[in-house]
Amino acid sequence: MSLYFLCLVLFSVGLYCILRKRNLIKIIIGIAITEYAVNLFFVLVGYKMHGRAPIHAEDQAILNMVDPLPQALVLTAIVIGLAITALIASIAIRVYEKYGTFDITKIRKLKG
Amino acid sequence: MMQNPLPLFIAIPLASAFLNSLLGKRIKGFSDVLSSIATLALAAISIYSVFLIKDVGSIVYKVGGWMPPIGIAMVMDSLTVFMLVTINVVAFLISVYSINYMEKYTEKGIFYSLFLLMIAGMNGVIISGDMFNLYVFLEIAAISSYALVAFGTEQEELEASFKYAVMGSLASSFILLGIVFLYSYTSTLNMADMAMTLLTNGPSRIVLLASVLFLMGFGLKSALVPFHAWLPDAHPSAPAPISAMLSGVLIKSLGVYAMVRIFFSVLGATPEILSILMVIGSLSIVIGACLALGQWDFKRLLAYSSINQIGYVILGISLGTPLGILGGLFHLLNHSVFKSLLFLNSGAVEYSTGTRDLQKMGGLREKMPVTALTSLVGSMSIAGVPPFNGFWSKLIIIVACVQSGHFVHASWAVLASIITLAYFLKVQKHAFFGELKEGLSNVKEAPFFMKFSMIVLAIICLAGGLLMLPAVSGDFLKAARDVVLAGQDYITVVFGAIK
């Protein structure tokens, strides 16, 4: 139970980081933390205490296996997260080239 | 292949995106021709599917030959076909428009690659019958749209793209979290199988939690009012064809369609969720309209107007009555047509005059007759003036509101419709009518391909009202409505189609 709770804490840390930080890079780190929290939770959903790897062989009974599906899905989710992080980081670099700052309170060309 | 065109909707745009990035730079004009042919083929196949689905009812494609619920399924029913036609026809016209418009940007090949990837993602979201697959395609479409918003790489574009990307990836996290909760409860990812498990297990708090997460996630994607802050920055900053694509179809396929599919077909629409959606819809209608009224930037005004119109779609669908859902879906189709048209108009004006500020325009009617006429058609449609398509769909939504006893929502809808008329009269008055401003005397009409797309979209606006005729709408609009109404009968549809 405490594992799930820690997952929630991690997710909240990420959300706080996105909402409250002014530095673009810190916001990107916040996004990464939220994604990790969701991925971690996904793996935990399929996890079993003292479970074993889900390998099916002739001489083994199917007993006490962890659920392999979330692990496969989380791999995909991590790759997607990497793509997002790479794209946002490159946008942040371009923003820095144009504005000369990472501070979001000074990057305010758009309003209304 | 022609009995089961489902894989083509993803294979064609993915393959042409790949070829574009490979050969687009080497051969001049290659990417223009390839993208137009690819999107034309997609539009043709989607219209062919309307007739195909009429006889068969539903088609399921088993990816890799694995049987669902273990393997991934792609499902085509009437609602899917309805969305596919909307997306691919609009995408074809926008692709043709880009041939001329994108001349002023470098790297046309990359533009078309991202554009086609976005179409692949949207088509994937529409035809996916598997929760996680839906998430993956949603991300493909979303990531390419982040990149496309930043395509100009000027200050505003980058700022808008950053904001959009942060909001969008947060929305994706919420959606994934919702999928995780549903998976932990049902132990399956196939949508039909999930719906069946939920039916046998009965109501649960986990489903409620997942619904709230989906509401946040897809609400952010479709820019409903409490979650709308990114849209007025992101949509105007993109190049005009992409603004048209984002406002016209992206927020509908990623937001509205996914929400309708999950809430109606998988979770089963409960009255609580529907009433929340109704309130959010009304809020979007009123707030979007009021904010649009004060804008002087042509594209920003159109972006706020998108929030307003998406509210009508959500309000109609969330009524849950046959008439309301019909109106909502019809307005979804109409909005994608006239909003793309208006964004293309704004692009044509920007292309010729170099400005988006309404106060600097004036009297463009004499210099740009085609743009002025088509934008008049678009404005009248969106404001709901009788012969055009927008009138019919708004009328149906308002009548459905009154019929089901929601008088307050109906009065909001009528009021906002009047405000819509007001701000589009403002656009017409300041941009196209009146005296020709100084410095605009050398303005030329937009080139051929841009005119072509605008004229075709205007004709669809004019002819859209014909969809109300029972003979025409029976297999297309009404069939899509029946899918939404049938709700969790989705299970029998999917498992019935697997042989």
Side-chain angles (χ1 to χ4, degrees), chain B residues 445-457:
Chain B
E445 178 58 282
F448 172 74
F449 287 115
M450 287 163 77
K451 276 195 286 195
F452 169 79
S453 295
M454 293 192 288
I455 291 170
V456 174
L457 281 169

Side-chain angles (χ1 to χ4, degrees), chain A:
Chain A
M1 197 60 212
S2 61
L3 277 177
Y4 293 114
F5 184 72
L6 286 175
C7 234
L8 179 71
V9 171
L10 192 62
F11 189 77
S12 316
V13 168
L15 268 185
Y16 174 81
C17 203
I18 295 173
L19 293 173
R20 290 290 299 164
K21 290 295 164 190
R22 289 176 166 190
N23 190 314
L24 292 187
I25 303 297
K26 286 183 184 166
I27 293 175
I28 295 171
I29 293 171
I31 292 171
I33 293 173
T34 21
E35 272 163 9
Y36 291 157
V38 175
N39 290 342
L40 185 60
F41 181 66
F42 208 165
V43 172
L44 277 179
V45 160
Y47 183 72
K48 245 181 192 175
M49 274 300 176
H50 311 296
R52 62 178 188 82
I55 300 166
H56 181 60
E58 295 267 319
D59 55 339
Q60 287 183 325
I62 304 175
L63 270 175
N64 203 25
M65 284 180 178
V66 295
D67 185 355
L69 191 59
Q71 299 178 6
L73 300 182
V74 161
L75 272 182
T76 318
I78 287 173
V79 175
I80 293 171
L82 174 73
I84 292 179
T85 314
L87 182 69
I88 302 186
S90 60
I91 292 170
I93 294 170
R94 284 296 191 91
V95 168
Y96 186 76
E97 280 173 10
K98 297 280 175 189
Y99 287 86
T101 176
F102 279 127
D103 189 346
I104 50 165
T105 51
K106 290 187 182 122
I107 303 170
R108 297 191 70 92
K109 275 246 159 182
L110 296 162
K111 42 182 168 314

Side-chain angles (χ1 to χ4, degrees), chain B residues 62-295:
Chain B
K62 301 183 272 287
V63 178
W66 295 90
M67 277 303 273
I70 305 290
I72 296 170
M74 287 178 176
V75 183
M76 185 189 259
D77 57 14
S78 301
L79 179 62
T80 331
V81 170
F82 171 79
M83 290 299 298
L84 284 173
V85 170
T86 313
I87 289 177
N88 291 307
V89 170
V90 171
F92 165 62
L93 292 168
I94 289 173
S95 169
V96 170
Y97 179 94
S98 317
I99 294 175
N100 284 140
Y101 185 85
M102 293 310 288
E103 287 297 327
K104 61 176 183 176
Y105 291 88
T106 51
E107 300 292 352
K108 231 176 166 185
I110 293 180
F111 168 79
Y112 278 119
S113 294
L114 287 169
F115 179 74
L116 287 162
L117 271 180
M118 191 164 83
I119 296 173
M122 284 191 288
N123 282 343
V125 168
I126 304 297
I127 64 179
S128 174
D130 180 277
M131 276 292 197
F132 194 75
N133 212 21
L134 183 139
Y135 170 76
V136 171
F137 280 119
L138 186 127
E139 286 295 273
I140 293 176
I143 293 175
S144 43
S145 72
Y146 306 150
L148 281 167
V149 168
F151 200 74
T153 60
E154 288 304 317
Q155 290 191 333
E156 284 119 30
E157 280 97 341
L158 292 167
E159 185 189 337
S161 173
F162 188 85
K163 198 170 171 185
Y164 178 31
V166 170
M167 297 279 220
S169 48
L170 194 60
S172 308
S173 294
F174 281 130
I175 293 168
L176 184 60
L177 200 55
I179 293 173
V180 174
F181 276 115
L182 279 185
Y183 174 75
S184 70
Y185 185 59
T186 62
S187 324
T188 176
L189 284 166
N190 184 289
M191 286 189 194
D193 200 27
M194 191 179 267
M196 198 149 71
T197 320
L198 287 175
L199 265 187
T200 42
N201 285 13
S204 151
R205 292 223 175 115
I206 288 190
V207 178
L208 200 63
L209 179 62
S211 311
V212 173
L213 288 167
F214 285 137
L215 199 64
M216 280 198 281
F218 293 122
L220 260 164
K221 292 276 179 202
S222 56
L224 292 166
V225 143
F227 316 108
H228 69 285
W230 59 271
L231 187 141
D233 292 339
H235 288 194
S237 301
I242 297 307
S243 310
M245 205 65 193
L246 293 178
S247 258
V249 291
L250 188 93
I251 53 174
K252 300 197 184 67
S253 55
L254 261 56
V256 176
Y257 168 81
M259 192 142 64
V260 166
R261 180 58 94 196
I262 288 180
F263 281 140
F264 280 83
S265 300
V266 180
L267 302 180
T270 54
E272 294 85 24
I273 290 288
L274 287 184
S275 53
I276 291 173
L277 279 177
M278 217 184 290
V279 172
I280 291 180
S282 292
L283 271 179
S284 308
I285 291 176
V286 178
I287 294 177
C290 293
L291 288 172
L293 199 56
Q295 300 300 321

Side-chain angles (χ1 to χ4, degrees), chain B residues 8 23 93 102 172 186 214 227 231 304 314 334 348 355 382 408:
Chain B
L8 291 178
L23 300 171
L93 292 168
M102 293 310 288
S172 308
T186 62
F214 285 137
F227 316 108
L231 187 141
Y304 275 112
I314 290 293
N334 291 342
T355 180
I382 199 169
V408 181

Side-chain angles (χ1 to χ4, degrees), chain B residues 348-408:
Chain B
V349 171
E350 198 187 356
Y351 184 86
S352 300
T353 66
T355 180
R356 286 178 357 206
D357 192 341
L358 288 172
Q359 281 164 316
K360 288 183 188 150
M361 299 173 196
L364 290 174
R365 188 174 38 124
E366 299 157 27
K367 297 287 179 186
M368 309 176 71
V370 176
T371 311
L373 191 68
T374 49
S375 85
L376 188 66
V377 172
S379 304
M380 291 302 110
S381 308
I382 199 169
V385 173
F388 299 104
N389 55 4
F391 168 72
W392 301 105
S393 47
K394 279 191 187 175
L395 184 72
I396 296 173
I397 292 171
I398 292 166
V399 168
C401 272
V402 172
Q403 212 177 40
S404 54
H406 298 285
F407 295 106
V408 181

Side-chain angles (χ1 to χ4, degrees), chain B residues 18 22 29-30 53 57 93 116 127 171 194 209 214 245 291 323 330 340 355 370 374 423 437 442 470 478 491 496:
Chain B
F18 175 70
L22 204 66
F30 174 80
I53 211 81
L93 292 168
L116 287 162
I127 64 179
M194 191 179 267
L209 179 62
F214 285 137
M245 205 65 193
L291 288 172
L323 197 64
F330 190 29
S340 333
T355 180
V370 176
T374 49
Y423 63 72
K437 285 268 171 70
N442 293 330
K478 291 226 175 78
I491 305 163

